[in-house]
Amino acid sequence: MALDRDILPANVKPKNYDLSIYNLELGGQFSYHGTVTVDIEINQALTEITLNAYQLQIHSAELFTEHTKTESSIEASDVTYDEKARRATLHFGTEVPTAPHGKLTINFAGTINDTVDPVETQMAGFYRSKYRPVTSPAKSVPVIDGSYYMFSTQFESSDARRVFPCWDEPNLKATFDVTIELPEDQIALSNMPEKSSTRSTKKAGYKEVKFERTPVMSTYLLAWAVGDFECVEGVTKREYREEGRLPVRVWTTRGLKEQGRWALGNACQIVDYFSESHGAMENWGLITYRTTAVLFDEVTSDQKFRRRVAYVVAHELAHQWFGNLVTMDWWNELWLNEGFATWVGWFALDHLYPDWSTWANFITDGTQVAFGLDSLRNSHPIEVPVRDALEVDQIFDHISYLKGSSVIRMLAAHLGVETFLKGVSDYLKAHTYGNATTNDLWVALAKASGKDVSQFMDAWIRKIGFPVVTVAEEPGQIGVEQSRFLLTGDVKAEEDQTTWWIPLELSTGDQAASTEASALTSKEETIRNVNETFYKFNKNQTGFYRTNYPPARLAKLGQAADQLSIEDRIGLIGDAAALAKSGHGTTAAVLAFLDGFRAERHPLVWAQLTDSLSEIRSIFSADDDHLAHALRAFTLRLVSPAAEKVGWEFTAQEDFLTGQLRANLLSTAGACGHEAIVAEAQRRFEAYRSGDQSAVHPSLRRTIFDIAVREGGEEAYERVRQEYLSTTSIDGKEAALYSLGRVQTPELAKKYLEFLFSPAVATQDVHSGGSALAANGKTRQIQWEWIKEHWDMIRERLGGNMVVLDRFVRLTLRKFADEGARRDIEAFFEGKDNKGYDRTLGVVADTIKGNASYRERDREIVREWRGVVSSRAVLVRTSIGTLQFLPILITPTMFLDSEHSINPGYLDMHLPTDHKMIERDKIERSGHPSLLHRRLGLQWVLSFATGEVERLDSPTIAERDTLTKRESGITAASPMRLRMEAFIKSQQEKIVRELEKVDGKRFRIDKWDRPDGGGGISCVLQDGDVFEKAGVNTSIVYGTLPRAAIAKMRVNHKALDPDVESLEFFAAGLSLVLHPHNPNTPTVHLNYRYFETANADGSSNAWWYGGGTDLTPSYLFDEDVIHFHKAIKVACDAHDRSYYPRFKKWCDDYFYVKHRGEGRGVGGIFFDDLDESEKDQEQLFAFVQDCLEAFLPSYLPIVMRRKDMTFGEKEKMWQQFWIKYARGQGGEYSDESASNGKVGIHARGRQREQRREVGERAQEAG
């Protein structure tokens, strides 16, 4: 007996089973009798034989042996049972010697289990399934309470022992001869073709059907079915040896065979396709399916089942090779069966239906789901220790199937699919009719590829979890670092010991044309000479890892959707949402990123978008109605335009995926309260219930039923329940059952649970209703309370098949997002016999812990974000003039303090026209005392770096604008001015059309007839223009900072001056504007907070503390100056290598000649100063755009480096001085050490000269 597994004694090995099943009691107790004669090899002398048997009565056992040419027989004197191990031991009372040939004959009796009986409920072994016939069934078909019954088997993983005594382990293979006695008017099916059918001599009206001998196979593969069946039949196109074209049949209960034609057509093609790459198929298969996995009606079925049936058929046929022909040696290597069958199933689907975007679908339905489980602490390796077969049911999970197949996809992409398939074919040939291990597969693949596959793949199979690759950008290079990803975000050092081989698949270039197939094989590496214009790791998401990009890079990737594959867009969305959940990012950032996908067209990208939003709503909405409303509103704004565009009507010309998009968008919009969609769904539901079957398209059945139950109360609930009971549509029944879980009251939830556990619902379907109630925030807790109250009944009802019970526990409990629920669940199950689902309880606890920590960490962030969203701020990705913006949030104010979270009244997106001082008394008169508004930004970076303070008042701005206008020579009639203005106007028309989709009544285009030439897009969000009432003309376009940076800012300020109570915080951000006096000058403003001072006359002034100046090289640390210059040089050189030397000269002249001694800084580059030739004029627009694109990302690494800086004593002294100075309390700044600094000061005429060294070092950067 192996030390790592509890297996049967090795003294006996089975060779062939001759199994006869007879005396079927079709009614009453549903008992049966059986006789099995097993050809065995006795390897060691013995006095007893132990084999597997469970819930069987062994009546007799006799052993026949031949030893030294002498035949003898001996009957078992006693039979003992080990119920826990599910074994029986036959005691013979005397020693039996070794023998190469022996026969063991056992007579036994068992029960055909019931899938719905509240007491038995065992959808395992030999079981009966009830159905409602669509035509008159055969007379012998048993009927109970109006339901008819058929009979079939389910032996995987270890339930053959429930039906006949056997050696029920995967590596104890044998052949099988099967005989079944059944009524003459019914059909018997088994793995092999029928050999003979004769009238029974034992029972009148019965017949005996014998089947051909099977190939060598494991016990779990044996199968049969008995019932009133009929079939549709086809043949393969390919001819196979002596058999010729193989017959393929789809059997159904009488009256449904025509719904099997879609599965039949797929099966014939798939057998041929697999045979080409895996070798010829043996004619040995009986595959049993759920009806929704094999039947499809072209008229009445939801179109999504077209893909589901095709895939499931492909997956199960793949097992003819991966599982049947070659079987894993033991259950710890289950992935060799299920991972391969999953990947091969998708592979076949992509071959048959290339327009279905199969691998993109795999990312959403496969890889992302696998990430979900494998990101938990209670996950397990793909290859997981299994001590006995009873434990294996718990690893029939997303790790074995979906992570296994995802890793296979990664390996196939790395080796090349053809090379990979060659290795797999060699593996199958080498182990035909035998058992194999993971190492056997690695050997075959290594031989085919010439690579040490084991060396770089073992960690993926034998280690828990998967990595996140964190990207850090530096000038001219990228740093990448791998670490284990946990959804809870609390990876411990001892949990992060694995170093995975990670195929980086780095795509670079303007069109993402080139891909470098390098791999990360250490914890961290540096990649040099990367084209920073565009790059993305993990091309087409073939690697099983998440990627954490810097915020600016993620934003740029979001803008570059046209350069990304469907798989890449899905992966970016999934990664962003998961990284927010783990704490690597924030929910606000995810929502901003998702909002940039309004123009998305592909159905599968939309599927990932809506899945991610649904998860966010589920976690944050359960106990916060206001937050729930805000998140629904955001979702509506995102999906409504697309939902309204796709509409309700299906056309003959549209493709399969468009229909799926329609169902998804209408369902999402309806769930979030889209009034028109809800009304139309209710209208169609009423028409359908009144007899108009065409009112509800089958593919919208779930959508409409969901909305009807959610909105219609008990009346709608009863109507959908009756639909479930009466419909003849296979998938319609499934849709109705799930939709019933959309109830909104405790009374209906309890009523539904009683119905769910009644005989009306099949055992294998109970989890569907439980999952719906768990996903429903109104009923989640109610269901859990009901489960606790009725647990004994649930355990008895579902525990006959541990896969069913395990699935129910997982799907009903995993949606909670608070620690109280987790503790309650753990306390409830503590001390109970949880074998069979104990691993799942750990997964549930870990999932809830992750949800709870995520909600606790980000709840305030989402509430702050909600304060903006509730005021209808808009997130837009577009361009103004030639300036390509990152995804930008447009809003006048976003207070960080909850007491200041008011609804702002006016939103601008235009060229600034004036910079008047905001006077609080004017704001007060307008009814908005807290709306003091100026340019907001990231100036806190400069505060940490330099401690600078600047007062921005009207004279300073006016003087600067005058100087700008005079120096640039720009006038209202300048050709370049007119050219830029015309371009901006044309862009605005596009922008307004975008904004009108959100709220057409509230957006307008400002006139361009202002004296200074300003203008742009404005949005009035409330009645009245509060800024105009206040006499304020200003504008703001900004993005947000990481929460950690803002939190650090606030901590630092409190430490700096805890007594300044009048200081009110605004959100930090980045402001991009064009000066009306010089539209060729893109300006970057970095600011973050203000305070006020009272004047003697009762008025007050708003002072910008630590901000206001424009960011330029003169305001940075010298290393940051170099970084900036390098970024600008890249943009310059892309157009003309003479640009950068001229730009450096301009900087020198501006800072050290024209404004020497002022420490002056401007955010923009006066590109008109470079405008010296016709060539320059023609390239000006592109040059401005490229420079700004290079300019902005170059600052984000600086932000990240500076965000955790603390104030030193000098900085504190400096800041304190300027607080007092700004308040009019006098004082002189006399810290002599400040003269050694490398940055300039802007403040009330007190400035100091910046050291020449900075400029010299900056020039060296070129």
Side-chain angles (χ1 to χ4, degrees):
M1 183 175 295
L3 296 177
D4 62 341
R5 60 190 69 166
D6 183 11
I7 57 178
L8 293 168
N11 55 2
V12 175
K13 185 176 181 180
K15 297 293 187 181
N16 178 72
Y17 294 84
D18 187 349
L19 174 63
S20 180
I21 301 295
Y22 50 91
N23 285 345
L24 273 67
E25 183 184 7
L26 304 185
Q29 298 300 311
F30 284 94
S31 64
Y32 68 92
H33 288 79
T35 298
V36 62
T37 298
V38 190
D39 294 339
I40 60 174
E41 176 184 333
I42 302 175
N43 302 314
Q44 301 172 15
L46 53 83
T47 59
E48 60 187 32
I49 294 177
T50 298
L51 71 173
N52 294 115
Y54 182 57
Q55 296 181 337
L56 296 174
Q57 295 177 326
I58 296 178
H59 297 309
S60 65
E62 187 172 5
L63 177 62
F64 301 86
T65 62
E66 180 180 324
H67 183 66
T68 62
K69 298 184 179 181
T70 302
E71 293 185 0
S72 61
S73 66
I74 182 171
E75 292 187 4
S77 58
D78 190 21
V79 180
T80 57
Y81 299 92
D82 183 343
E83 289 292 317
K84 186 175 182 180
R86 300 186 179 184
R87 293 172 181 169
T89 299
L90 311 176
H91 301 271
F92 295 101
T94 186
E95 184 176 276
V96 178
T98 61
H101 304 290
K103 288 183 181 292
L104 176 65
T105 299
I106 303 173
N107 293 300
F108 60 93
T111 301
I112 307 174
N113 299 318
D114 190 356
T115 62
V116 297
D117 187 283
V119 178
E120 288 187 355
T121 65
Q122 295 171 350
M123 195 182 72
F126 190 14
Y127 68 93
R128 58 193 189 268
S129 296
K130 69 175 186 176
Y131 68 97
R132 195 177 296 271
V134 297
T135 188
S136 298
K139 292 182 179 179
S140 66
V141 175
V143 55
I144 300 174
D145 296 330
S147 294
Y148 291 74
Y149 286 84
M150 58 164 284
F151 310 92
S152 61
T153 58
Q154 169 60 46
F155 290 169
E156 191 175 17
S157 57
S158 56
D159 286 317
R161 64 192 68 183
R162 290 178 183 266
V163 182
F164 65 101
C166 57
W167 282 261
D168 198 13
E169 294 175 359
N171 54 9
L172 295 176
K173 288 188 168 185
T175 55
F176 295 83
D177 298 306
V178 177
T179 301
I180 300 176
E181 183 186 64
L182 70 157
E184 290 180 331
D185 59 354
Q186 293 193 47
I187 299 292
L189 307 170
S190 190
N191 300 77
M192 300 302 292
E194 183 179 295
K195 183 177 182 180
S196 66
S197 178
T198 59
R199 182 171 296 177
S200 174
T201 58
K202 305 172 185 176
K203 198 170 184 178
Y206 277 64
K207 61 184 177 183
E208 284 188 354
V209 176
K210 293 181 181 291
F211 296 93
E212 300 282 358
R213 177 170 290 186
T214 71
V216 175
M217 65 185 195
S218 304
T219 49
Y220 79 85
L221 295 173
L222 185 62
W224 63 79
V226 174
D228 183 26
F229 300 141
E230 61 179 3
C231 73
V232 289
E233 181 173 349
V235 294
T236 60
K237 290 184 179 181
R238 179 175 173 173
E239 294 191 0
Y240 296 80
R241 302 175 192 166
E242 299 84 9
E243 297 95 335
R245 294 182 176 180
L246 293 181
V248 180
R249 305 180 184 92
V250 176
W251 292 87
T252 71
T253 52
R254 189 181 301 276
L256 295 176
K257 69 177 184 179
E258 291 304 316
Q259 294 186 39
R261 290 201 177 276
W262 173 250
L264 176 67
N266 281 279
C268 292
Q269 296 181 77
I270 289 165
V271 168
D272 282 345
Y273 183 55
F274 286 169
S275 296
E276 292 174 6
S277 57
H278 306 329
M281 170 187 169
E282 291 289 342
N283 185 13
W284 64 351
L286 175 66
I287 304 172
T288 59
Y289 299 84
R290 292 189 55 161
T291 52
T292 53
V294 73
L295 299 185
F296 179 80
D297 188 293
E298 293 286 349
V299 177
T300 65
S301 289
D302 184 337
Q303 291 300 303
K304 73 179 181 182
F305 286 90
R306 184 184 296 276
R307 179 168 56 195
R308 178 180 179 183
V309 169
Y311 166 72
V312 174
V313 167
H315 177 105
E316 297 304 332
L317 283 172
H319 278 309
Q320 298 292 315
W321 289 268
F322 303 99
N324 301 13
L325 186 65
V326 178
T327 311
M328 77 267 144
D329 183 64
W330 183 246
W331 295 110
N332 63 307
E333 293 171 309
L334 176 67
W335 83 281
L336 290 174
N337 282 20
E338 299 302 347
F340 263 96
T342 301
W343 180 81
V344 169
W346 288 97
F347 187 72
L349 213 60
D350 184 53
H351 172 75
L352 295 179
Y353 306 103
D355 58 331
W356 283 6
S357 300
T358 295
W359 289 116
N361 193 191
F362 177 81
I363 301 301
T364 58
D365 293 357
T367 302
Q368 295 294 335
V369 176
F371 278 149
L373 178 55
D374 206 31
S375 60
L376 302 177
R377 191 167 267 110
N378 270 289
S379 181
H380 61 82
I382 290 177
E383 187 174 298
V384 59
V386 177
R387 178 156 179 78
D388 66 64
L390 304 183
E391 297 177 358
V392 74
D393 285 346
Q394 293 188 78
I395 64 169
F396 277 85
D397 61 8
H398 296 326
I399 301 298
S400 297
Y401 284 74
L402 301 181
K403 182 180 179 182
S405 57
S406 296
V407 168
I408 289 169
R409 178 172 178 256
M410 177 174 67
L411 179 58
H414 175 69
L415 298 180
V417 173
E418 290 187 7
T419 300
F420 177 76
L421 290 176
K422 171 65 168 61
V424 169
S425 179
D426 293 344
Y427 158 81
L428 292 172
K429 290 175 184 176
H431 301 282
T432 297
Y433 300 121
N435 297 82
T437 66
T438 298
N439 287 337
D440 295 327
L441 175 63
W442 294 162
V443 168
L445 290 173
K447 184 178 180 180
S449 67
K451 297 182 179 181
D452 188 354
V453 176
S454 174
Q455 188 272 330
F456 59 79
M457 286 302 296
D458 263 5
W460 288 104
I461 304 302
R462 297 185 169 111
K463 298 294 184 179
I464 192 172
F466 66 92
V468 55
V469 173
T470 299
V471 181
E473 294 184 350
E474 300 174 15
Q477 62 187 28
I478 300 172
V480 289
E481 180 181 3
Q482 63 164 288
S483 57
R484 184 182 173 188
F485 180 81
L486 282 182
L487 212 53
T488 49
D490 56 349
V491 181
K492 301 172 184 176
E494 61 270 23
E495 296 172 320
D496 192 22
Q497 298 300 307
T498 302
T499 300
W500 285 274
W501 165 84
I502 302 175
L504 293 177
E505 294 293 322
L506 176 61
S507 302
T508 61
D510 291 340
Q511 300 300 321
S514 77
T515 301
E516 298 178 23
S518 60
L520 177 61
T521 57
S522 58
K523 277 294 186 182
E524 57 183 274
E525 288 183 13
T526 299
I527 304 171
R528 294 179 171 82
N529 301 319
V530 175
N531 186 336
E532 295 184 5
T533 305
F534 175 94
Y535 73 83
K536 183 192 177 295
F537 290 99
N538 200 9
K539 184 178 181 181
N540 294 327
Q541 298 300 116
T542 55
F544 192 74
Y545 59 92
R546 295 204 181 278
T547 309
N548 183 18
Y549 293 99
R553 179 57 55 182
L554 181 62
K556 292 194 74 170
L557 287 170
Q559 289 179 321
D562 58 332
Q563 293 179 245
L564 299 172
S565 66
I566 303 164
E567 294 88 344
D568 283 334
R569 301 204 297 277
I570 292 169
L572 283 173
I573 294 167
D575 284 355
L579 290 165
K581 195 170 186 180
S582 66
H584 290 81
T586 69
T587 308
V590 172
L591 294 171
F593 181 65
L594 296 184
D595 206 68
F597 283 83
R598 290 172 184 267
E600 179 59 53
R601 295 183 178 181
H602 200 278
L604 294 174
V605 180
W606 271 112
Q608 185 62 50
L609 278 166
T610 53
D611 282 351
S612 297
L613 283 171
S614 177
E615 177 77 0
I616 290 171
R617 294 200 308 274
S618 174
I619 288 174
F620 290 102
S621 300
D623 60 352
D624 191 327
D625 290 340
H626 294 296
L627 199 53
H629 174 77
L631 289 169
R632 287 195 300 269
F634 173 83
T635 304
L636 273 182
R637 281 195 301 277
L638 181 62
V639 306
S640 291
E644 292 161 5
K645 180 179 179 180
V646 76
W648 289 87
E649 302 303 329
F650 289 75
T651 65
Q653 294 76 29
E654 71 184 25
D655 58 20
F656 166 74
L657 290 176
T658 299
Q660 303 310 292
L661 175 66
R662 176 177 293 107
N664 178 30
L665 292 178
L666 292 178
S667 180
T668 301
C672 292
H674 189 295
E675 293 180 3
I677 289 173
V678 169
E680 179 62 14
Q682 290 177 313
R683 185 194 70 77
R684 289 173 179 262
F685 181 69
E686 290 302 321
Y688 179 77
R689 294 305 301 162
S690 299
D692 181 5
Q693 298 296 299
S694 66
V696 175
H697 190 282
S699 295
L700 297 178
R701 192 184 285 120
R702 257 283 301 277
T703 298
I704 292 172
F705 288 177
D706 277 3
I707 294 172
V709 172
R710 186 185 296 110
E711 304 291 335
E714 186 168 9
E715 181 182 359
Y717 167 83
E718 285 298 335
R719 288 184 174 185
V720 174
R721 192 177 72 88
Q722 288 302 317
E723 175 73 14
Y724 172 82
L725 294 172
S726 62
T727 185
T728 58
S729 168
I730 302 300
D731 55 270
K733 205 173 188 69
E734 183 177 289
L737 186 66
Y738 192 90
S739 293
L740 289 170
R742 301 304 192 188
V743 294
Q744 299 292 293
T745 67
E747 295 76 21
L748 284 179
K750 293 174 183 178
K751 190 173 184 179
Y752 178 42
L753 282 162
E754 296 290 345
F755 175 70
L756 201 58
F757 282 89
S758 73
V761 178
T763 299
Q764 65 268 31
D765 294 333
V766 170
H767 75 275
S768 179
S771 176
L773 289 172
N776 182 347
K778 298 286 188 182
T779 59
R780 189 176 300 143
Q781 183 64 34
I782 296 165
Q783 176 173 234
W784 168 232
E785 297 299 332
W786 194 91
I787 288 172
K788 289 189 290 184
E789 185 179 348
H790 298 84
W791 176 249
D792 290 343
M793 178 274 294
I794 294 170
R795 180 69 173 76
E796 188 69 30
R797 170 76 187 273
L798 306 182
N801 185 325
M802 278 300 173
V803 172
V804 174
L805 180 59
D806 180 85
R807 184 184 297 125
F808 177 81
V809 170
R810 173 170 51 86
L811 294 179
T812 56
L813 301 182
R814 64 178 179 171
K815 289 290 187 178
F816 285 103
D818 64 273
E819 280 294 308
R822 182 184 65 83
R823 290 191 295 269
D824 189 28
I825 291 169
E826 289 183 344
F828 177 77
F829 285 104
E830 186 176 3
K832 291 181 171 58
D833 180 7
N834 300 316
K835 188 171 184 179
Y837 55 90
D838 54 327
R839 186 188 295 273
T840 287
L841 287 176
V843 168
V844 165
D846 219 16
T847 301
I848 296 173
K849 181 180 179 181
N851 291 344
S853 62
Y854 175 37
R855 188 176 70 163
E856 183 65 25
R857 183 180 61 249
D858 265 24
R859 180 160 44 188
E860 292 306 314
I861 292 177
V862 179
R863 282 175 176 166
E864 291 167 6
W865 169 87
R866 180 183 67 82
V868 178
V869 171
S870 64
S871 66
R872 301 192 183 183
V874 185
L875 189 126
V876 182
R877 180 176 52 178
T878 183
S879 62
I880 296 181
T882 59
L883 307 182
Q884 190 70 37
F885 288 89
L886 299 174
I888 50 177
L889 187 63
I890 308 169
T891 181
T893 56
M894 186 200 300
F895 291 94
L896 294 183
D897 293 326
S898 58
E899 61 267 29
H900 298 123
S901 186
I902 64 172
N903 290 331
Y906 184 73
L907 175 113
D908 277 352
M909 180 179 170
H910 65 264
L911 305 182
T913 62
D914 192 13
H915 300 277
K916 295 182 180 179
M917 191 67 176
I918 300 177
E919 299 180 11
R920 188 180 182 92
D921 58 338
K922 291 184 178 180
I923 297 292
E924 288 175 344
R925 288 197 295 272
S926 72
H928 293 268
S930 296
L931 260 178
L932 297 178
H933 175 60
R934 289 284 286 219
R935 299 174 300 180
L936 310 179
L938 303 179
Q939 183 63 26
W940 65 275
V941 179
L942 303 185
S943 245
F944 290 166
T946 71
E948 282 192 320
V949 181
E950 181 193 11
R951 170 189 175 186
L952 287 185
D953 55 16
S954 296
T956 302
I957 293 297
E959 289 171 359
R960 179 176 299 176
D961 288 345
T962 300
L963 178 65
T964 298
K965 186 174 181 180
R966 182 177 66 248
E967 291 184 347
S968 64
I970 294 292
T971 67
S974 297
M976 188 56 65
R977 169 63 180 258
L978 295 175
R979 183 180 179 190
M980 184 71 79
E981 187 173 298
F983 186 78
I984 292 174
K985 288 180 180 179
S986 68
Q987 292 298 302
Q988 284 182 337
E989 293 178 3
K990 297 179 182 178
I991 298 169
V992 169
R993 282 197 295 271
E994 244 185 283
L995 297 177
E996 284 178 341
K997 295 176 183 177
V998 180
D999 192 340
K1001 297 179 181 179
R1002 294 180 178 271
F1003 287 92
R1004 69 171 187 265
I1005 299 180
D1006 284 353
K1007 295 179 180 179
W1008 282 77
D1009 56 1
R1010 299 182 183 180
D1012 56 9
I1017 300 173
S1018 298
C1019 170
V1020 180
L1021 297 179
Q1022 293 183 344
D1023 294 335
D1025 186 334
V1026 298
F1027 278 93
E1028 290 183 0
K1029 290 177 181 177
V1032 176
N1033 286 322
T1034 188
S1035 62
I1036 179 66
V1037 183
Y1038 72 94
T1040 60
L1041 280 176
R1043 181 175 179 79
I1046 297 174
K1048 186 69 176 179
M1049 172 189 79
R1050 299 183 66 167
V1051 170
N1052 282 340
H1053 174 72
K1054 185 175 181 181
L1056 171 68
D1057 188 8
D1059 298 326
V1060 180
E1061 297 181 358
S1062 63
L1063 186 64
E1064 298 176 357
F1065 285 92
F1066 285 95
L1070 181 66
S1071 168
L1072 311 178
V1073 299
L1074 287 176
H1075 277 259
H1077 302 292
N1078 185 4
N1080 301 331
T1081 308
T1083 303
V1084 181
H1085 300 292
L1086 302 182
N1087 309 277
Y1088 86 103
R1089 60 191 182 188
Y1090 80 98
F1091 61 91
E1092 304 161 40
T1093 58
N1095 298 324
D1097 61 2
S1099 64
S1100 61
N1101 293 332
W1103 296 79
W1104 285 96
Y1105 177 56
T1109 55
D1110 308 326
L1111 181 60
T1112 60
S1114 67
Y1115 286 90
L1116 300 173
F1117 287 124
D1118 45 354
E1119 66 265 26
D1120 295 334
V1121 175
I1122 295 172
H1123 179 84
F1124 166 78
H1125 273 268
K1126 285 183 176 179
I1128 291 296
K1129 184 177 186 299
V1130 171
C1132 290
D1133 289 350
H1135 289 267
D1136 190 315
R1137 290 190 177 274
S1138 70
Y1139 273 19
Y1140 183 68
R1142 289 155 59 194
F1143 167 66
K1144 284 200 302 178
K1145 183 178 183 299
W1146 176 85
C1147 287
D1148 288 343
D1149 290 344
Y1150 189 84
F1151 288 113
Y1152 308 121
V1153 179
K1154 294 179 182 179
H1155 305 291
R1156 182 175 179 83
E1158 297 181 18
R1160 185 177 179 82
V1162 295
I1165 304 168
F1166 287 105
F1167 294 108
D1168 56 295
D1169 285 338
L1170 303 176
D1171 186 18
E1172 297 176 353
S1173 69
E1174 183 177 347
K1175 177 182 177 183
D1176 290 338
Q1177 295 243 358
E1178 292 303 318
Q1179 298 194 60
L1180 181 62
F1181 287 170
F1183 181 41
V1184 171
Q1185 176 173 318
D1186 280 6
C1187 282
L1188 188 60
E1189 286 181 341
F1191 190 87
L1192 298 180
S1194 72
Y1195 279 82
L1196 292 174
I1198 298 171
V1199 170
M1200 297 310 294
R1201 288 198 298 272
R1202 304 302 180 217
K1203 69 182 178 65
D1204 290 325
M1205 290 182 63
T1206 58
F1207 283 119
E1209 291 303 315
K1210 295 176 183 177
E1211 287 82 0
K1212 288 183 180 180
M1213 185 185 303
W1214 199 355
Q1215 296 278 15
Q1216 289 285 8
F1217 166 77
W1218 283 113
I1219 288 176
K1220 295 178 180 179
Y1221 191 87
R1223 289 175 174 173
Q1225 297 174 2
E1228 288 294 323
Y1229 182 67
S1230 60
D1231 183 2
E1232 295 181 359
S1233 62
S1235 63
N1236 295 322
K1238 296 183 174 63
V1239 292
I1241 296 178
H1242 248 290
R1244 285 192 177 178
R1246 284 189 63 88
Q1247 296 151 341
R1248 63 182 172 80
E1249 181 177 350
Q1250 178 170 336
R1251 291 178 62 187
R1252 182 76 180 184
E1253 178 187 343
V1254 178
E1256 293 170 353
R1257 292 189 60 184
Q1259 292 182 32
E1260 293 172 1

